[in-house]
Amino acid sequence: MTILEQARSGNITDVMKTIAHNEGVSPEQIRQAIADGNTVILNSRQPVAIGKKLITKVSASVGLYEKNDTIQGEMLKIKAALKAKTDTIMDLSVRGDIDDMRSTVLNSIDCPVGTLPLYQALHDAEEKYGSALKMTADDFFEVMEKQASEGVSFMALHCGTTMEVVKQAKEDHRIDPLVSYGGSHLIGWMIHNQCENFLFTQFDRVLSICHRYDVVLSFADGMRPGCIADSLDRPQVQEILILGNLVKRAREAGVQVMVKGPGHVPLDEIETTVKLQKKLCHDAPYFVFGCLPTDSAVSMDHISSAIGGAIASFYGADFLCIVTPAEHIGMPDADDVFTGVIASRIAAHAGDVAKGHPDAIAWDREMSVSRRELDWQHQIELSIDPETTERMWKERSSNFSSECSMCGDYCALKIVTKYLHDEREVI
Amino acid sequence: MTILEQARSGNITDVMKTIAHNEGVSPEQIRQAIADGNTVILNSRQPVAIGKKLITKVSASVGLYEKNDTIQGEMLKIKAALKAKTDTIMDLSVRGDIDDMRSTVLNSIDCPVGTLPLYQALHDAEEKYGSALKMTADDFFEVMEKQASEGVSFMALHCGTTMEVVKQAKEDHRIDPLVSYGGSHLIGWMIHNQCENFLFTQFDRVLSICHRYDVVLSFADGMRPGCIADSLDRPQVQEILILGNLVKRAREAGVQVMVKGPGHVPLDEIETTVKLQKKLCHDAPYFVFGCLPTDSAVSMDHISSAIGGAIASFYGADFLCIVTPAEHIGMPDADDVFTGVIASRIAAHAGDVAKGHPDAIAWDREMSVSRRELDWQHQIELSIDPETTERMWKERSSNFSSECSMCGDYCALKIVTKYLHDEREVI
C-alpha cells in the first residue's frame, strides 16, 4: 500500500510518526491530512511533508546543464543548498551522465530528491536516435520507471499541458509564450509529431509507476507565466482546470499529488493565483516557483522572488521553489544557490508567521527577546542565515567598545531600560 | 507663500511643472494633489514628489554615528545610494562635526536632503552642558531653524510621542518597548525632565519654522514596533491618532506634511497598518520603514524589508525608507547602502506594478519583450540594478557559444519560436 492508501485505511505508519514529530503535530493529524490530500509526504531517509498548516518548505534545483557542468560542481551546489537548509533537492540534469549524477545525489544526501524525467528521456533519445524529437512514449516511461525504482521521492510531469492548452497559448498572443523549459520541449515534441501529450493520454501509466514506487506526483505547469503581462491568462487557467481533474484521478489511484504553479505574478494577483489553484486542484499542496512580482529585477530575482513567495506562502502555498540571483541571466553557482535558498526561507518564514504557525511565531518572539537582552550569540543561532550573521557581527562589533554593536554609546535599548523600565515609579 | 499655499490658491509653480513632467502627469493634477494634502513636494535642486498615484520613492539614510565615522566615509555611502538611484538622502548624524557634514551633503548633491534635528540638538547640549538631558526646547528650535535655513527639504520630528503614548507603552508590556533611536532619546529627556514633549506642546513653533523655510514636516513614530509581536498595539495606534490631529494643524498652517510608520509588521497586518495610517492621518503621504515581516532575517533584512515594503507600497505607502543587510547588527557600509536601495527599489517597483502605475507596467512589459527577443543590452539597461546585471551577464555568458546565455543549446524561447510561432499553420 502507498502512504496515501495507508492513511485512508486509518493506518499511522512510521514515516507519519516521524513527520508528526518533526512538525510538532499529532500523528493522527498527519494521517488525516494525507488522507484528505491536502498534505503529501516526500519519502526518503529524511522524509519531508508538504501541506496545509505545516511549515512552508523550500526546494533547490541543480543539475548537469551546460556542457562543462560536472557532478562534482553540482554536488557543491547541493552542499550550499543544504547548508542554507533547503528541505529538498531537485536534480534537473538534461545532459551528461544523468544516471551517474542521480545515483551520486541519491547516495549522498538524505533529504527527498525530485526529478523531471522527461529531460533524461529526451537526452537518451537524442543519443539513441540522433534527435530528441524521435523519443517515444515507451522510451519515456522506461526512464520514469528507472528513476522511480532508484528512490526518487517526487517527479515533475507536465500532464496537463495538452494540445488544447497549447492552442490557447497561440491564440492568446502571450508576450513570452512559453518559459517552462520542460514544457517547451514537450510541446516541441507534440507539435513535431502531431501527437497529443502522452503524459495526458497515458496518464494511467504515469499513475501505475508512481503507485508502484510510491513516488509523489508533482504536476508541472507548461503554461507558467514568464512575465507579469501573461499572468492568470486563459492558457494558464485552462491548464489548471485539466490538472484539477488529474489530481482527482491520482488520488483515486492511491497516488499522492501536489501541483506546481507560477512564475511571474503581480502582487495584486498572487492571492487569486494561490486560491484559484488550491480550489481547482482540490486543496492539493501547492508548489510555487517564485513568484516574481516584477520582470525587471534581473540579477536580483532572489529578492523579487522572496516578495512573491512570502505572499504566496501567506495565502496558502506550501512549498517554494527557489529563484537564484542568476535567474534570467545564466546558470547559478553554489553561492547563488545558497542565496536563493536563504531568500526563499525568509519568504517561507514570513508567510508562516502571518499564517499563524505557532513555531514560526515562537521563533520570532525568541529572536525579539534575545535582541532586547542583547544576547548576540543567541541572535546568531536563531537567525535564518547564522553564518552570514556571525560574520557580519564579528566584522562590525570590533569597531565598538560597547558589548552591543547596534547603537554604540547611544543604544536606544539601554536608554529605554534606564528611563522607561527602571524608573517606572517616576512618572 | 509655501508650496501648499500656492497649490491651494490655484497657482501652478515652476516646481510643480517640473514634478508633473518627471511623473508624467499634468501640472494641474500635481497642484490638486498637493492642495488635497495627499502629495508633498520635497524641494531641492532636483525636487521629488511623494504621494498618491505617483511612483513610490526610496530614501537612504547616512550620518556620522560611530566615533570613527568621517564625512568622507559618509559621502561614499551617499555616492553608493545615488548610484543605486535613491530618490532622497537623510543625514542622521548624531556626533562629530554635524554642521560640516550637513553642509557638505547639501553642497554635494541635488536631491532632497532630510534630517532629524533632535540629534544635533542633543549633541550640542551634550557639548554645551555636559549632558544631552539638559537640552532646552529653545536649544532645539535654534538647531531646527539653522538646519531649515540651510536648505534641508524635510525634517523628521517625533511630535506625536507624548507622555500619554509613553505611558501606554509602559502599560502594554511590549517585548521591545522602544526601538526608535530619536524617539528613545526624546522619551529619555521627557522622563528625566518630568516634562511633556515640547514638539507637541510647542507645535506652533515647529510649524512656524517649517512654514518660513517651506520644509516638509515628516512625522516620526516613537512607537515604531521593534518586533512582530508589538505590531499594531495600543501605543502605536495611540500615536497615530495624535499625529492625525497634527496633520490637520500642519495643513491649516500651510505646511506640507507626511507621516512615517513601521517597523516590524507581520504580512497579515500590513494592509491594516497602511490603511489605518492613511485613514487616521487624512491621506497624508506615508513614509514607511521596511516593513519587516519577520524578526529572524538578521543580516538579510534588506530581503525581509523588500517583502514588507512591496506589500506596503501596493496598499498605498508612498515612500520607502531603506533597510540594509546590517540592520540589527551594526552600521552599514557603502555596499550595504547600495544593496538596501536596490532592494527597496525592487519593492517600490513591485508595488507600483500592482497599483497599476502605467509607467511601471510599461517598464516590465518592455523588459519582457527584450527578454523574448534576447536583447541582452536592453535587458541590462532596463534592469533595476544594471551594473550587477551586466557584471553577472558578462561572467556567465562567456561560458556559452549561443548568444542567449539562459539556456545554451536548449533555449526554450528558440523552441517556442521554431515550433509554436513559425509553424502556426501546422496544428
Side-chain angles (χ1 to χ4, degrees):
Chain A
M1 283 205 286
T2 63
I3 291 174
L4 178 53
E5 287 164 340
Q6 294 275 14
R8 280 206 201 116
S9 306
N11 299 336
I12 292 173
T13 62
D14 284 347
V15 69
M16 294 180 207
K17 286 180 197 161
T18 303
I19 291 293
H21 175 78
N22 294 347
E23 299 281 347
V25 297
S26 75
E28 171 55 20
Q29 274 175 285
I30 291 295
R31 187 205 61 73
Q32 187 64 54
I34 293 165
D36 291 344
N38 65 50
T39 296
V40 296
I41 291 181
L42 309 179
N43 210 353
S44 72
R45 289 188 290 277
Q46 196 178 289
V48 168
I50 313 283
K52 216 170 187 172
K53 297 187 182 170
L54 305 182
I55 287 285
T56 304
K57 308 302 190 302
V58 164
S59 185
S61 302
V62 300
L64 301 169
Y65 194 89
E66 309 293 352
K67 277 176 186 152
N68 44 12
D69 281 349
T70 62
I71 294 175
Q72 199 181 9
E74 295 312 295
M75 289 308 296
L76 287 177
K77 293 182 196 170
I78 290 178
K79 204 175 153 190
L82 292 172
K83 193 173 77 174
K85 294 193 186 158
T86 188
D87 296 288
T88 71
I89 292 287
M90 288 197 79
D91 170 14
L92 301 179
S93 294
V94 301
R95 68 163 93 208
D97 194 338
I98 298 178
D99 281 333
D100 194 15
M101 170 71 192
R102 190 175 56 256
S103 71
T104 304
V105 174
L106 287 167
N107 289 329
S108 309
I109 67 176
D110 292 330
C111 77
V113 173
T115 58
L116 198 152
L118 180 68
Y119 289 153
Q120 183 171 17
L122 290 166
H123 171 78
D124 288 358
E126 201 183 339
E127 295 217 323
K128 190 170 166 187
Y129 310 118
S131 167
L133 295 168
K134 294 188 178 162
M135 178 196 72
T136 65
D138 288 346
D139 290 335
F140 169 81
F141 286 111
E142 199 179 300
V143 167
M144 183 183 166
E145 176 141 19
K146 180 172 65 175
Q147 294 194 359
S149 71
E150 290 171 3
V152 168
S153 302
F154 61 110
M155 288 189 180
L157 297 171
H158 296 82
C159 301
T161 312
T162 65
M163 211 59 115
E164 182 188 3
V165 170
V166 176
K167 283 182 184 169
Q168 204 81 259
K170 273 184 61 174
E171 286 164 14
D172 260 49
H173 304 295
R174 290 182 141 196
I175 288 186
D176 288 331
L178 289 177
V179 297
S180 157
Y181 185 68
S184 302
H185 281 80
L186 177 61
I187 294 166
W189 183 94
M190 286 158 60
I191 294 172
H192 180 81
N193 293 292
Q194 298 272 308
C195 183
E196 183 53 287
N197 176 0
F198 55 87
L199 297 170
F200 178 76
T201 56
Q202 302 187 46
F203 187 56
D204 286 336
R205 284 178 82 177
V206 170
L207 292 178
S208 161
I209 294 171
C210 286
H211 186 272
R212 198 169 318 133
Y213 301 97
D214 210 354
V215 169
V216 174
L217 186 51
S218 175
F219 286 136
D221 53 333
M223 295 298 131
R224 183 166 83 217
C227 67
I228 294 295
D230 293 339
S231 166
L232 272 185
D233 65 355
R234 285 172 59 91
Q236 185 192 343
V237 177
Q238 184 69 58
E239 188 174 25
I240 300 172
L241 285 169
I242 294 168
L243 291 175
N245 267 339
L246 299 182
V247 163
K248 284 210 275 192
R249 283 179 58 192
R251 287 179 183 167
E252 281 161 16
V255 170
Q256 296 189 99
V257 59
M258 61 182 169
V259 184
K260 189 149 183 202
H264 295 234
V265 187
L267 290 182
D268 57 317
E269 291 182 3
I270 296 177
E271 179 180 2
T272 305
T273 297
V274 175
K275 289 185 175 171
L276 188 73
Q277 189 111 14
K278 284 248 169 173
K279 184 79 186 183
L280 295 177
C281 293
H282 315 288
D283 231 13
Y286 185 26
F287 186 17
V288 69
F289 183 72
C291 32
L292 302 172
T294 162
D295 303 323
S296 303
V298 51
S299 79
M300 291 286 156
D301 273 322
H302 60 299
I303 295 179
S304 176
S305 172
I307 295 170
I311 303 170
S313 164
F314 169 46
Y315 285 118
D318 308 287
F319 196 22
L320 306 182
C321 178
I322 74 158
V323 172
T324 78
E327 184 74 24
H328 297 118
I329 304 183
M331 297 310 292
D333 60 22
D335 286 346
D336 292 331
V337 171
F338 182 86
T339 303
V341 172
I342 292 293
S344 283
R345 286 189 55 228
I346 293 170
H349 179 58
D352 289 339
V353 167
K355 277 193 268 199
H357 194 293
D359 291 354
I361 289 171
W363 176 5
D364 269 21
R365 182 175 280 259
E366 197 174 339
M367 174 65 96
S368 304
V369 171
S370 297
R371 189 164 286 148
R372 182 187 62 199
E373 293 174 356
L374 307 179
D375 182 346
W376 285 98
Q377 198 49 47
H378 202 45
Q379 285 180 62
I380 290 167
E381 286 158 14
L382 286 169
S383 92
I384 289 176
D385 180 359
E387 192 179 282
T388 304
T389 302
E390 182 162 29
R391 180 180 53 71
M392 283 184 72
W393 185 70
K394 281 184 176 164
E395 279 169 19
R396 320 266 160 154
S397 62
S398 62
N399 298 332
F400 300 86
S401 50
S402 161
E403 61 179 321
C404 162
S405 77
M406 189 150 61
C407 309
D409 291 349
Y410 287 80
C411 176
L413 300 181
K414 284 183 187 165
I415 290 170
V416 169
T417 306
K418 191 168 175 201
Y419 292 103
L420 190 65
H421 188 73
D422 291 352
E423 302 186 19
R424 283 207 173 183
E425 309 71 31
V426 177
I427 295 189
Chain B
M1 281 204 288
T2 62
I3 291 174
L4 177 54
E5 287 164 338
Q6 294 274 13
R8 280 206 202 117
S9 307
N11 299 337
I12 292 173
T13 62
D14 284 347
V15 69
M16 294 180 207
K17 286 179 195 160
T18 303
I19 292 293
H21 175 78
N22 294 348
E23 298 280 347
V25 296
S26 74
E28 172 55 21
Q29 274 175 284
I30 291 294
R31 187 205 60 75
Q32 186 65 54
I34 293 165
D36 292 343
N38 65 50
T39 296
V40 296
I41 290 181
L42 310 179
N43 210 354
S44 72
R45 290 188 291 279
Q46 195 179 287
V48 167
I50 314 284
K52 217 171 188 173
K53 296 187 182 169
L54 304 182
I55 288 286
T56 305
K57 307 303 190 299
V58 164
S59 185
S61 302
V62 300
L64 301 169
Y65 194 89
E66 307 294 352
K67 276 177 188 152
N68 44 12
D69 281 348
T70 62
I71 294 175
Q72 197 179 10
E74 295 311 295
M75 290 308 295
L76 287 178
K77 293 182 197 171
I78 291 178
K79 205 176 154 191
L82 293 172
K83 192 172 76 172
K85 295 191 184 158
T86 189
D87 296 288
T88 70
I89 292 287
M90 289 196 79
D91 170 14
L92 301 179
S93 295
V94 301
R95 69 162 93 206
D97 195 339
I98 298 178
D99 281 334
D100 195 14
M101 170 72 192
R102 189 175 57 256
S103 72
T104 304
V105 174
L106 287 167
N107 289 329
S108 309
I109 67 176
D110 292 331
C111 76
V113 173
T115 59
L116 198 152
L118 180 68
Y119 290 153
Q120 183 171 17
L122 290 167
H123 171 78
D124 289 359
E126 200 183 340
E127 296 218 322
K128 190 170 166 188
Y129 309 116
S131 167
L133 296 168
K134 294 189 178 163
M135 178 194 73
T136 66
D138 287 346
D139 290 334
F140 169 81
F141 287 111
E142 198 179 301
V143 167
M144 182 183 166
E145 177 140 18
K146 179 172 67 176
Q147 294 194 358
S149 71
E150 290 171 2
V152 168
S153 302
F154 61 109
M155 288 189 180
L157 297 172
H158 296 82
C159 300
T161 312
T162 64
M163 212 59 115
E164 183 187 3
V165 170
V166 176
K167 283 182 184 166
Q168 204 81 259
K170 272 184 60 174
E171 287 163 14
D172 261 48
H173 303 296
R174 289 183 141 195
I175 287 186
D176 288 332
L178 289 177
V179 298
S180 158
Y181 185 68
S184 301
H185 281 80
L186 177 61
I187 293 167
W189 182 94
M190 286 159 60
I191 294 173
H192 180 82
N193 292 291
Q194 298 271 310
C195 182
E196 181 55 285
N197 176 0
F198 54 86
L199 297 171
F200 178 76
T201 55
Q202 302 187 45
F203 187 56
D204 286 335
R205 284 177 82 177
V206 170
L207 291 178
S208 160
I209 295 171
C210 287
H211 185 272
R212 197 168 320 132
Y213 301 97
D214 209 355
V215 169
V216 174
L217 185 51
S218 174
F219 286 136
D221 52 334
M223 294 298 132
R224 183 166 82 217
C227 66
I228 294 296
D230 294 339
S231 166
L232 272 186
D233 66 355
R234 285 171 59 92
Q236 186 192 342
V237 177
Q238 184 69 57
E239 187 173 27
I240 300 171
L241 285 168
I242 294 168
L243 291 175
N245 267 340
L246 299 181
V247 164
K248 285 210 276 192
R249 283 179 59 191
R251 286 179 183 165
E252 281 160 16
V255 171
Q256 296 189 100
V257 59
M258 61 183 168
V259 184
K260 189 148 183 203
H264 295 234
V265 188
L267 290 183
D268 57 317
E269 291 182 4
I270 296 177
E271 179 178 2
T272 304
T273 297
V274 175
K275 289 184 174 171
L276 187 74
Q277 188 110 16
K278 284 249 168 174
K279 183 79 186 184
L280 294 177
C281 293
H282 315 287
D283 231 14
Y286 184 26
F287 185 16
V288 69
F289 183 71
C291 32
L292 302 172
T294 162
D295 303 324
S296 304
V298 50
S299 79
M300 292 286 155
D301 273 323
H302 61 298
I303 295 179
S304 177
S305 172
I307 295 171
I311 303 171
S313 163
F314 169 45
Y315 285 117
D318 308 287
F319 196 21
L320 306 183
C321 178
I322 73 157
V323 172
T324 78
E327 183 75 24
H328 297 117
I329 305 184
M331 298 308 292
D333 60 23
D335 285 347
D336 292 331
V337 171
F338 182 85
T339 303
V341 172
I342 292 292
S344 285
R345 286 189 56 230
I346 293 170
H349 179 58
D352 289 339
V353 167
K355 277 192 267 198
H357 194 293
D359 291 354
I361 289 171
W363 176 4
D364 268 22
R365 182 174 281 258
E366 197 175 338
M367 175 64 97
S368 303
V369 171
S370 297
R371 188 164 285 148
R372 182 186 63 199
E373 293 174 355
L374 307 178
D375 182 346
W376 285 97
Q377 198 49 49
H378 202 43
Q379 285 180 62
I380 290 167
E381 286 158 14
L382 286 169
S383 91
I384 290 175
D385 180 358
E387 192 179 281
T388 304
T389 302
E390 182 162 30
R391 180 180 52 71
M392 283 183 73
W393 184 71
K394 281 183 175 165
E395 280 168 18
R396 320 268 159 151
S397 62
S398 61
N399 298 332
F400 299 86
S401 49
S402 161
E403 61 179 318
C404 162
S405 76
M406 189 153 57
C407 309
D409 291 350
Y410 286 81
C411 176
L413 300 180
K414 284 183 187 167
I415 291 170
V416 171
T417 307
K418 191 169 174 203
Y419 292 103
L420 189 66
H421 188 72
D422 292 352
E423 302 185 19
R424 283 207 173 184
E425 309 73 28
V426 177
I427 295 188

